[in-house]
Amino acid sequence: MSSDQGSGTESVKAVCYTLEVALEKAIAMEERGFRNYLKAIQLVKDRQGKAILRDAAKEELDHKQRIELALLEGHDSNAAILHQELPTMNLDYVFEQKEISPDADARTALAYAIHLEKQAVDFYKALISGCEGAPMAGLFKRLLADETRHLKNLEDFYERYFLTEN
């Protein structure tokens, strides 16, 4: 990944920020994710790769909008939409995280998206670890659940189309 992508994973320490500060950090993280997808979309030439990256970018916009609404309203008005954290296959360990190139195919674009979503999952896990028992912990757990759902969808897609069994 490029240097701004690597630094895009802002370190979140295990401290409990105020709700407003934590939401601002989450908005900034989602914005960085969207910008990374946007750069990749502009770079990649493969039509299927672009489609995968475009869908992932739309998810980031949706996440950011819900967090902005929570900041505006002082709570998460979308709580009913989000559920429990989903287990993932940890496919980010199967392939190396690298900078995406113009000749990236659908498989490479999907691997790239999986790495970006894993960064978001790690971000929310760090927020939760610092806020256990605090009123905003539930919000972060719901945001984590949404990120793990998205990561699981990407991993399922990868498994279905690119991991074959003998």
Side-chain angles (χ1 to χ4, degrees):
M1 301 192 96
S2 71
S3 59
D4 63 5
Q5 291 162 341
S7 64
T9 327
E10 182 178 314
S11 176
V12 176
K13 296 178 178 50
V15 296
C16 192
Y17 300 100
T18 65
L19 178 63
E20 291 78 16
V21 170
L23 290 174
E24 290 286 356
K25 286 183 172 291
I27 290 166
M29 188 270 311
E30 296 291 349
E31 178 67 22
R32 280 190 304 274
F34 172 75
R35 293 292 166 193
N36 285 333
Y37 283 125
L38 189 59
K39 286 178 192 173
I41 291 165
Q42 293 167 345
L43 184 67
V44 170
K45 292 178 173 55
D46 182 76
R47 188 175 54 85
Q48 289 178 320
K50 279 184 179 286
I52 289 167
L53 294 167
R54 194 173 292 112
D55 287 346
K58 288 176 185 176
E59 287 272 345
E60 294 305 301
L61 288 176
D62 182 55
H63 296 166
K64 182 178 172 236
Q65 182 182 30
R66 280 190 272 156
I67 298 166
E68 288 170 333
L69 286 172
L71 181 62
L72 180 65
E73 298 171 3
H75 66 289
D76 184 13
S77 62
N78 301 302
I81 297 171
L82 305 172
H83 304 287
Q84 298 283 331
E85 176 183 355
L86 297 174
T88 62
M89 292 183 278
N90 293 318
L91 282 182
D92 60 303
Y93 295 111
V94 173
F95 33 75
E96 178 183 336
Q97 182 175 5
K98 60 184 177 182
E99 188 172 323
I100 195 158
S101 65
D103 64 341
D105 59 7
R107 183 180 193 149
T108 304
L110 190 54
Y112 179 81
I114 288 170
H115 278 290
L116 287 180
E117 290 308 313
K118 178 67 166 102
Q119 290 174 359
V121 165
D122 292 344
F123 174 87
Y124 288 115
K125 284 183 177 181
L127 279 179
I128 291 166
S129 72
C131 291
E132 199 60 47
M136 70 282 275
L139 168 62
F140 300 137
K141 287 178 181 176
R142 290 188 298 276
L143 291 169
L144 174 62
D146 196 37
E147 290 292 349
T148 58
R149 179 195 53 77
H150 188 211
L151 177 58
K152 183 175 182 349
N153 289 343
L154 291 170
E155 288 180 337
D156 289 348
F157 185 88
Y158 192 93
E159 180 181 38
R160 188 172 353 161
Y161 293 101
F162 300 113
L163 295 180
T164 57
E165 294 183 26
N166 295 333

